Amino acid sequence: KTKPATYHKGKSLDKVTTRQLYEDFGLDANTQSFTGHAMALHRDDDYLEQPAEATAEAIQLYAFSLERYGKSPYIYPMYGLGGMPEGFSRLCAIHGGTFMLNKGVDEVLYKDGKAWGIKTG
């Protein structure tokens, strides 16, 4: 952000739209779509008319994550999505808590402005 060498043609990325950035680099429609939706995780094409800074940061995060985690930039539990609640329940038990499934929350208990428990009926 603060390095002029990283600006695009002398302009900060908050002054250039993503569409202009893509066109200046000569990206075809398929590459634009992949970059914007698969890498930067934009839901629709509205981002094309917005400043390119947010998209560039999202693509950079994708690249850093890919570098760190290997074949995929996304963290996925080794034994499937069931590993998520299992991990939460183990962490809860380590800290003396009880992890309960299929229970409604009646009240969140606070002490000194911090949540410390849940009341369920």
Side-chain angles (χ1 to χ4, degrees):
K1 283 185 185 181
T2 59
K3 297 180 184 176
T6 63
Y7 292 5
H8 179 67
K9 294 187 177 180
K11 290 185 181 178
S12 174
L13 290 179
D14 63 345
K15 306 286 186 228
V16 177
T17 67
T18 305
R19 184 181 305 280
Q20 290 171 317
L21 188 66
Y22 284 168
E23 288 172 359
D24 286 348
F25 280 100
L27 300 181
D28 65 30
N30 288 331
T31 305
Q32 290 181 22
S33 182
F34 177 81
T35 303
H37 298 294
M39 295 175 76
L41 301 178
H42 291 295
R43 292 185 201 125
D44 53 39
D45 287 343
D46 293 346
Y47 78 97
L48 290 169
E49 302 308 324
Q50 297 172 0
E53 184 175 35
T55 299
E57 288 175 359
I59 293 168
Q60 184 178 36
L61 177 63
Y62 178 93
F64 289 159
S65 297
L66 187 59
E67 181 181 272
R68 180 171 185 155
Y69 299 113
K71 294 180 181 179
S72 173
Y74 308 109
I75 300 172
Y76 190 82
M78 186 180 282
Y79 301 107
L81 290 178
M84 298 289 284
E86 182 180 344
F88 290 131
S89 67
R90 286 176 188 235
L91 190 59
C92 183
I94 288 171
H95 292 284
T98 304
F99 191 82
M100 299 170 59
L101 300 174
N102 299 321
K103 283 290 205 178
V105 174
D106 294 331
E107 182 182 359
V108 178
L109 305 173
Y110 293 95
K111 184 175 184 178
D112 299 325
K114 292 185 178 183
W116 66 273
I118 302 288
K119 187 182 266 189
T120 183

